[in-house]
Amino acid sequence: MKTPKIIALTGIGLLGVLNYTQPALATESNKNTCYIMYDAGSSGTRLYVYEQNNGKLVEHEGPKVAALADPVRSFRGKTPADINAVTDEVVGALDSILADGPLDDGQPKWQGFDWKTGCQVASAKVYATAGMRIAEQENPTDSVTLWQTLQTKLQARVGSGVTVETRTLSGFEEGLFAWLSVKGDSKATDFGNVEMGGASSQITFPCQDCDAGNDAVSTIQLGGKPLQIYSYSFLGLGQDEAPKSLPMPYVDPVPADCAHGVGSQNDTWDQAQCADDIPIRVVAGGDAIRDPYNYAAGNPSKGTTNTLPAAQKDINQWTLTGAFNYAKDTDIQECCINGSNACFQAATSCFRPVYQQKYLDVLGVQAAAASKRSASWTQGAVICETEDCMANQETAPVCRWTADGCLQ
C-alpha cells in the first residue's frame, strides 16, 4: 500500500495549527481535524485529505478524476453539457477515497482513508490553476455555471457546517502556496522559489523592500508575524504552452533550431541557436518579460509584460519546483543532439530544456546554485489556512487572466 505523506508541523507551523483549529475541535474533540483539498489541474482533478495528527499534517492522496476545464474548453470529448457529469465525478472522489483504489501493478492506486468517521472536516476546497484560467478566458459563462454547480454539490456532500470554496486560484496564491510548501516547518524565509508548470510559471520570494503598491506584492502572516511577499504567475510561460506562446512567429510544433535531434542534422548546432528563437524578454537585454496570456489592467487585448522588482536580485537562495524536478543535465545532449527515442514528447523535447535554462537566466536565477525541491501547493494552501496567513488581506485577488478581472 502507498504510505500517506507526513509533514511535521513544529515551530511556527504547530502554533499556527493549534491556534487556528482549536475552536473547531470543541464539538468532537476525539476526532482529528481534516482539510479536504482538490488540485484541479489541466490534466485531471486530484483529491487530497490533510489530517492534523499529533502535530503533524498527514497527507492522504486520493483518486484522480476528470479535469474541470475539459467541459468548459470542450476538451477530451467533453462539452458544456458534461458539466453535471464532471462535477459529480469530482464530488464522488470523496466516496472513492473511503476504500483502497483498484490495483495497479499489484498495489492500490490510493490507500483508503475514512474521513467520514475519522475526521472533523474543517473545510473542503477545490482550487484550479492555469488550465482553468485559460478556460475562464475562453468561456466565462460556462465557467461560472461549473463553479456554481460544483459549490452546491460539494456543500451538500460535506454538510452545511463545513466551509466550502470552489474557484480558480490567483497567480499570487499559487506561487505563495508552493513557496509555503517548500518552507514547511522551517523558520527560514529568506529564499525564493521558481515553479514551472505546464501552462504557467510562478516566481515567489519575500520582498520587504518591494513597493506595496505593486499588485503582485502582499503581506501575509506567519507565526503571528507579518511578511511581505512578491508572487507573480506568468500565464503562457509553462513548459507546455511556451512553444506556442513565445517563438515569433509561432512555428508548429517548435522552430527548426529547437527540433528533436536537430544537432544530428547540423554539425554546427549549439543551444544558443535554439535559445535565440525563444524571446522571453520583450527586448533582448531588457528587463520586461513577456506574459503572453495575461491581461494588463484596462487593456482588452490579451498579452502583457512584467518587470521583476530590483529587490529580486538580493535573493541568494533559490529553490526550483514543478517540472524542473524532471529535467536532467543530459536532456540537451540526448534530445537536441542525439535525437534519442527515449525523449518524452519528442516533438518538444529539445525546446524544453533549452527554454528552462534561458528562462532561469532571464529571471537571474543561477540554476547550478539552486536546489530542486518537491513541493505541493495543496499542502501549502492548507498550511496557509491553518496559519490564517491571508487573514489581513485588504485587497481582492488579482485575476490577470481575464480582461474584466475575477469571475463573480
Side-chain angles (χ1 to χ4, degrees):
M1 286 188 175
K2 293 182 178 179
T3 303
K5 294 179 182 177
I6 300 175
I7 304 99
L9 286 176
T10 57
I12 60 173
L14 175 57
L15 291 174
V17 170
L18 294 179
N19 289 340
Y20 181 68
T21 61
Q22 196 66 37
L25 300 177
T27 56
E28 296 182 88
S29 59
N30 60 318
K31 292 185 177 182
N32 291 332
T33 301
C34 292
Y35 306 85
I36 293 168
M37 184 70 65
Y38 286 87
D39 174 359
S42 58
S43 64
T45 305
R46 175 73 73 182
L47 169 64
Y48 297 90
V49 180
Y50 289 92
E51 177 190 13
Q52 183 185 309
N53 190 344
N54 294 323
K56 299 178 186 293
L57 198 60
V58 183
E59 180 188 273
H60 302 275
E61 182 177 343
K64 185 177 182 180
V65 294
L68 284 180
D70 283 356
V72 178
R73 301 187 72 188
S74 296
F75 271 15
R76 286 184 273 263
K78 300 285 198 308
T79 71
D82 295 302
I83 285 176
N84 262 317
V86 167
T87 51
D88 281 343
E89 188 175 338
V90 169
V91 174
L94 285 170
D95 294 319
S96 299
I97 198 177
L98 297 174
D100 287 353
L103 294 181
D104 181 18
D105 291 332
Q107 296 292 324
K109 287 187 176 180
W110 66 84
Q111 183 175 338
F113 177 64
D114 190 352
W115 59 271
K116 288 178 64 178
T117 59
C119 288
Q120 179 164 336
V121 178
S123 63
K125 299 180 178 180
V126 182
Y127 285 157
T129 51
M132 196 63 199
R133 290 181 199 131
I134 296 174
E136 291 182 3
Q137 282 185 345
E138 297 174 348
N139 190 346
T141 300
D142 286 321
S143 295
V144 170
T145 299
L146 180 141
W147 285 126
Q148 292 175 341
T149 302
L150 182 58
Q151 176 83 18
T152 300
K153 290 179 178 179
L154 185 57
Q155 188 76 73
R157 181 66 186 84
V158 298
S160 59
V162 176
T163 299
V164 171
E165 194 174 7
T166 61
R167 64 180 176 88
T168 300
L169 288 177
S170 69
F172 179 90
E173 292 170 311
E174 185 177 3
L176 170 65
F177 294 160
W179 184 88
L180 286 171
S181 176
V182 172
K183 179 184 177 299
D185 64 345
S186 169
K187 294 182 179 180
T189 59
D190 58 345
F191 71 94
N193 185 63
V194 182
E195 181 182 28
M196 177 61 68
S200 67
S201 176
Q202 290 67 240
I203 178 169
T204 307
F205 52 92
C207 192
Q208 196 59 41
D209 295 330
C210 279
D211 178 3
N214 186 323
D215 64 9
V217 175
S218 190
T219 298
I220 65 168
Q221 300 291 320
L222 286 180
K225 297 179 180 180
L227 180 67
Q228 187 164 276
I229 291 281
Y230 178 92
S231 182
Y232 193 93
S233 177
F234 293 91
L235 187 58
L237 294 195
Q239 65 172 9
D240 296 336
E241 289 296 326
K244 308 169 193 175
S245 68
L246 287 180
M248 303 285 182
Y250 169 56
V251 179
D252 189 14
V254 293
D257 286 332
C258 301
H260 176 243
V262 60
S264 64
Q265 307 297 319
N266 179 0
D267 292 340
T268 64
W269 181 88
D270 62 33
Q271 74 180 73
Q273 295 173 21
C274 173
D276 287 344
D277 290 333
I278 308 175
I280 300 173
R281 289 189 176 97
V282 176
V283 177
D287 293 327
I289 299 171
R290 297 183 192 277
D291 190 4
Y293 296 167
N294 276 325
Y295 289 80
N299 190 336
S301 299
K302 185 169 69 174
T304 184
T305 65
N306 182 50
T307 299
L308 297 176
Q312 183 259 343
K313 298 180 175 65
D314 297 331
I315 301 295
N316 296 317
Q317 183 180 352
W318 289 91
T319 56
L320 307 178
T321 58
F324 289 116
N325 282 291
Y326 304 104
K328 301 182 181 66
D329 293 339
T330 56
D331 283 346
I332 291 176
Q333 178 66 40
E334 290 299 313
C335 302
C336 297
I337 298 176
N338 297 345
S340 170
N341 292 330
C343 293
F344 177 67
Q345 295 180 342
T348 55
S349 62
C350 174
F351 179 97
R352 285 194 306 273
V354 176
Y355 167 65
Q356 286 188 10
Q357 287 193 21
K358 181 169 183 177
Y359 178 64
L360 291 175
D361 287 343
V362 166
L363 296 184
V365 174
Q366 299 298 316
S371 60
K372 293 181 180 180
R373 293 284 299 274
S374 177
S376 168
W377 67 255
T378 55
Q379 175 196 330
V382 173
I383 291 172
C384 183
E385 181 174 346
T386 60
E387 289 268 1
D388 208 7
C389 82
M390 301 185 76
N392 297 328
Q393 299 298 302
E394 297 180 354
T395 57
V398 179
C399 301
R400 307 179 197 282
W401 58 93
T402 70
D404 300 320
C406 303
L407 295 184
Q408 300 298 316

